[in-house]
Amino acid sequence: MTPVELEQRLEALPHQPGVYLMKDRAGRVIYVGKAVNLASRVRSYFNPGSSDTRAFVALLDRLLGAIETVVVTSEKEALLLENELIKQHRPRFNVQWRDDKQFLCLRLSNEHRYPRLEMVRRPRRDGARYFGPYASASSIRETVRVVNRFFQLRTCSDHVLESRKRPCLLHQIGRCPAPCVKPIPVEEYGGNVDAVALFLEGRTGPLLENLRGRMKSASSKLEFEEAARLRDQVIAIERSVERQAIASTEAIDQDVFGLFREGDRITLYSLFVRGGRITGGQAHHFQSEFPDDELVSSFVNQYYADDAFVPKEVLLPGSPTTPEALAELLSERKGERVRVLVPERGEKMALLKLASKNAERSFSERKRSHDEVEQTLERLKEKLHLSKLPRRMECFDISHFQGAALVASKVASVDTEPDPSRYRHYKLEAVIGNDDFASMHEVLTRRLQRGLEDDDLPDLIVIDGGKGQLASAAAAMRDLGVQGVDLVSLAKSRDLDSPSPDALADKSPERVFLVGRKAPIVLPQTSPELFALTRLRDEAHRFAITYQRKLNRKRGLSSALDQVPGVGATRRASLLRHFGSIRRLREASIEELAEVDGIGPAVAERLHAFLHTPRPRAAPDDDQPDDLVREASLTDASER
């Protein structure tokens, strides 16, 4: 954009609230911002005396190709639109919260006569009661375990509840009253539901008082088993309360955000306070040159998008750029008034300091972990004679079922951490028979061809296997002329012959083979560099086996239904989606079969009769193995 074109564009900007998009000369959106006055805000980027020191502002003269604006009616609408555009375009200079997971919550709905407590990630406005969020899966599982043990709410789905014919294992171990088959009084079950709600809300005072009263009443009536059960509930609740730190005299839900930064590296820590008690927290790491107030405002806007849990109060470090608009937006998302505060003293300030202290601790731990990763990568580069640091690694594994149905897996890591977005499965169609080496050549050829086309190749490729698999992979690289990518193979540890029958079997070390080197390299067996390779290899093996078993289940169910009269491809697909396995299909009644989409009563009767008609077992050389063989464990090619 020439200076004349830029001046003309700035003159045409509206003096209204809205969102502006800066694009580079290739048309890509590089920055999205919001403003109360678009003309004033955008022009400020190009004022000679601007105090904006962000790096990309100085580069706008060379990068900028166009400026687009979207006018809205209020600051709140600008916040909403900015959030959507950031998620849509992923601009390189915007602050982005890249963790797309939502925290786990507990949902308790009163729609059913026997409500259940379930874990969900996205609270919705459906009339149910939500508790949380919980910072980790382990903490929420511990809460559910306490609820199941002492309050005994059902955990099964509504469909399972209505279709069960006998109690499940949870009833047998005393964790569920089995309302699926037993006539449990609704009032009695409802009392447990109310107690669970009080427990999860942190209102333990009224709950303990109620339970102690019921315990004394049961004891006076000589109902000692019921009194003992209530006593256990009281003890469990008291222990739970002891583990919770009292954070505020106000029994309200709060999210407290603490900030710590060193230069452009930033950590924001969200501290969860529920009912006046600290229940957990989560750290979020960024790299940005944004000033603190703008960064916090942008982060909070994205953090509470997509049905995330919104508390009654949000405490922030420093004044956000648009606190009123942010409070209005969060109130609308929650459906009731939400306060956005910047505390300066008292209990709220103490909470803010605690969140900031956690942010600093998390920042330090991450920095130390980053330094350790750098040292591990340096040692890998040195000991394996690599051409560069193996920041991006990919590992390949071949798996087969009884010498057939070959599949392959690719898993990836960045700085030794798994990168599931780059995981891939491969069906190997060109290889005939159980040829591990040809299979490895095929899958590497397919991966490298795509990588050359997209300019997307890793630093290091790890092959699960020995010299043969490594030679096949090296041949694929030579055939395609791939350069600049290191290649090694990792051979599993195996049992060695013991000197005597009574001795424990010795194991060979894990060995790394290099192209053009006869002897393997044996890394220290407890070293972090070997751990990085073996973890990647084991993940590739797991990923391949999981895929192989999934395909075999589908093949087994499909082939078993091929001979049923009136069951074609569409009905087979419906049965596969509904039941998922031959065992569950055989256990189904005619009525349950008829409930499947596309399966009426007549077809259900034919199918039920077919599945329960005795047939001779397949001969050993039959093309289709029987169901028992299909459930056998899979053999991995590289283990032989």
Side-chain angles (χ1 to χ4, degrees):
M1 181 179 290
T2 65
V4 174
E5 291 173 336
L6 176 61
E7 185 59 32
Q8 290 175 346
R9 185 71 185 103
L10 294 177
E11 289 292 339
L13 290 173
H15 294 268
Q16 294 173 284
V19 173
Y20 55 94
L21 299 87
M22 293 184 177
K23 296 184 176 182
D24 62 15
R25 293 175 183 178
R28 293 184 295 264
V29 176
I30 58 174
Y31 184 73
V32 175
K34 63 184 182 302
V36 178
N37 186 315
L38 285 168
S40 299
R41 182 69 184 98
V42 176
R43 184 174 285 278
S44 69
Y45 285 96
F46 306 97
N47 290 336
S50 174
S51 60
D52 197 334
T53 59
R54 286 175 288 172
F56 86 94
V57 175
L59 299 174
L60 286 178
D61 290 341
R62 286 179 289 168
L63 293 175
L64 191 63
I67 300 174
E68 295 182 3
T69 60
V70 180
V71 174
V72 295
T73 59
S74 66
E75 290 183 64
K76 184 189 74 174
E77 290 183 10
L79 277 169
L80 283 169
L81 183 57
E82 180 196 35
N83 183 37
E84 291 300 320
L85 291 176
I86 288 174
K87 289 193 295 184
Q88 178 182 342
H89 297 289
R90 293 286 186 183
R92 59 184 293 194
F93 295 121
N94 274 96
V95 177
Q96 296 180 41
W97 182 36
R98 298 187 181 276
D99 186 359
D100 59 354
K101 301 186 296 297
Q102 295 290 340
F103 295 113
L104 287 165
C105 295
L106 290 173
R107 178 180 183 272
L108 185 61
S109 173
N110 290 321
E111 295 178 355
H112 200 280
R113 64 183 184 280
Y114 298 119
R116 69 170 177 142
L117 190 68
E118 57 181 328
M119 290 182 285
V120 297
R121 285 201 181 272
R122 296 185 180 273
R124 304 190 183 278
R125 298 180 188 176
D126 54 3
R129 303 175 72 175
Y130 290 90
F131 308 93
Y134 293 82
S136 66
S138 59
S139 62
I140 198 171
R141 289 194 186 101
E142 173 63 19
T143 301
V144 172
R145 186 191 68 80
V146 171
V147 170
N148 288 344
R149 181 175 180 182
F150 297 106
F151 298 99
Q152 299 193 357
L153 300 190
R154 69 178 176 96
T155 59
C156 57
S157 66
D158 293 348
H159 174 74
V160 172
L161 179 75
E162 301 299 337
S163 59
R164 261 202 180 276
K165 301 297 187 295
R166 59 182 182 180
C168 65
L169 178 63
L170 286 176
H171 174 72
Q172 297 177 27
I173 63 176
R175 299 286 177 92
C176 178
C180 52
V181 294
K182 293 181 175 293
I184 305 298
V186 175
E187 297 78 11
E188 178 184 330
Y189 191 93
N192 287 340
V193 172
D194 294 338
V196 168
L198 290 173
F199 172 68
L200 296 177
E201 288 173 351
R203 297 165 57 190
T204 54
L207 176 58
L208 288 172
E209 183 180 348
N210 177 269
L211 290 176
R212 290 190 181 104
R214 289 168 57 188
M215 179 178 65
K216 292 179 180 179
S217 175
S219 178
S220 63
K221 296 177 183 178
L222 305 183
E223 297 174 355
F224 299 117
E225 289 186 3
E226 176 65 12
R229 188 181 68 83
L230 293 169
R231 177 205 61 201
D232 293 342
Q233 285 188 15
V234 169
I235 294 173
I237 294 168
E238 288 175 340
R239 287 176 179 173
S240 175
V241 170
E242 289 173 359
R243 289 196 299 267
Q244 293 177 324
I246 298 177
S248 174
T249 55
E250 296 181 89
I252 59 174
D253 295 340
Q254 299 167 305
D255 280 352
V256 188
F257 292 91
L259 182 145
F260 182 83
R261 76 183 299 163
E262 284 185 1
D264 64 342
R265 296 184 180 275
I266 302 148
T267 295
L268 270 167
Y269 191 90
S270 50
L271 187 71
F272 308 141
V273 180
R274 301 294 177 259
R277 297 180 182 275
I278 297 173
T279 62
Q282 181 73 20
H284 314 279
H285 306 282
F286 304 95
Q287 192 166 355
S288 172
E289 297 178 341
F290 275 63
D292 292 352
D293 54 354
E294 189 170 345
L295 182 141
V296 170
S297 180
S298 180
F299 171 79
V300 172
N301 184 23
Q302 296 180 62
Y303 181 85
Y304 290 113
D306 302 326
D307 297 319
F309 175 83
V310 181
K312 287 184 176 294
E313 279 190 0
V314 176
L315 309 184
L316 301 179
S319 298
T321 53
T322 54
E324 297 82 8
L326 194 58
E328 183 181 355
L329 179 61
L330 296 183
S331 299
E332 184 175 295
R333 287 175 179 169
K334 185 174 179 62
E336 58 182 279
R337 182 171 180 252
V338 174
R339 296 197 298 169
V340 177
L341 305 174
V342 181
E344 297 180 355
R345 57 183 177 273
E347 288 182 345
K348 292 181 172 58
M349 187 61 190
L351 282 174
L352 195 60
K353 288 181 178 179
L354 180 60
S356 298
K357 185 181 295 184
N358 277 280
E360 182 178 2
R361 176 191 54 79
S362 181
F363 183 96
S364 300
E365 290 177 354
R366 181 180 175 85
K367 184 177 180 180
R368 183 171 62 252
S369 176
H370 179 267
D371 293 341
E372 291 172 354
V373 168
E374 289 293 316
Q375 294 171 9
T376 299
L377 295 179
E378 287 285 356
R379 287 194 295 267
L380 268 176
K381 178 178 181 294
E382 177 186 352
K383 293 180 179 180
L384 301 185
H385 309 288
L386 306 179
S387 62
K388 55 187 172 182
L389 286 181
R391 294 196 178 279
R392 268 190 60 194
M393 294 188 284
E394 292 182 357
C395 183
F396 294 83
D397 183 34
I398 306 295
S399 179
H400 66 83
F401 178 69
Q402 296 184 341
L406 285 166
V407 299
S409 69
K410 180 195 82 172
V411 300
S413 69
V414 176
D415 289 343
T416 73
E417 288 300 316
D419 183 10
S421 65
R422 297 180 184 273
Y423 285 18
R424 295 294 184 271
H425 288 131
Y426 298 88
K427 288 183 180 179
L428 303 180
E429 307 291 348
V431 178
I432 300 176
N434 180 21
D435 190 335
D436 298 346
F437 306 145
S439 300
M440 187 60 70
H441 187 279
E442 178 187 338
V443 69
L444 258 294
T445 299
R446 289 166 59 181
R447 165 64 185 103
L448 294 172
Q449 283 177 336
R450 174 61 65 87
L452 291 171
E453 293 171 2
D454 299 341
D455 191 21
D456 178 33
L457 292 173
D459 301 318
L460 173 65
I461 291 178
V462 181
I463 303 300
D464 182 12
K467 292 182 180 179
Q469 286 86 351
L470 180 65
S472 298
M477 294 182 69
R478 285 195 304 270
D479 293 344
L480 295 172
V482 175
Q483 296 180 349
V485 178
D486 292 307
L487 176 67
V488 301
S489 70
L490 181 61
K492 291 183 177 68
S493 173
R494 66 179 187 274
D495 291 335
L496 301 176
D497 294 335
S498 300
S500 67
D502 298 329
L504 294 175
D506 294 325
K507 286 184 174 292
S508 68
E510 303 267 4
R511 295 153 295 148
V512 181
F513 290 92
L514 308 184
V515 177
R517 177 170 176 148
K518 183 177 180 180
I521 293 176
V522 178
L523 297 172
Q525 298 299 288
T526 58
S527 64
E529 49 268 32
L530 180 62
F531 175 75
L533 294 178
T534 56
R535 183 171 70 162
L536 192 65
R537 187 267 318 278
D538 294 344
E539 178 69 354
H541 180 69
R542 180 201 65 79
F543 200 52
I545 289 292
T546 303
Y547 184 50
Q548 181 67 266
R549 287 174 177 165
K550 178 181 177 181
L551 292 179
N552 279 336
R553 283 195 297 269
K554 289 183 178 180
R555 292 191 192 104
L557 181 56
S558 179
S559 62
L561 300 176
D562 285 344
Q563 303 174 23
V564 183
V567 177
T570 302
R571 284 172 171 166
R572 284 200 300 270
S574 296
L575 290 165
L576 174 62
R577 284 193 301 269
H578 190 86
F579 292 102
S581 70
I582 287 290
R583 181 181 61 80
R584 291 187 60 192
L585 184 63
R586 283 177 173 159
E587 291 175 352
S589 64
I590 295 177
E591 293 75 15
E592 290 173 332
L593 293 172
E595 292 177 358
V596 179
D597 292 340
I599 307 294
V603 176
E605 290 182 7
R606 289 201 302 271
L607 179 58
H608 189 271
F610 174 83
L611 292 172
H612 292 82
T613 299
R615 292 185 300 280
R617 290 174 61 88
D621 59 347
D622 197 330
D623 290 337
Q624 293 292 337
D626 61 50
D627 297 330
L628 293 177
V629 174
R630 288 184 185 280
E631 298 298 327
S633 61
L634 301 175
T635 303
D636 184 75
S638 60
E639 289 182 346
R640 295 182 299 110

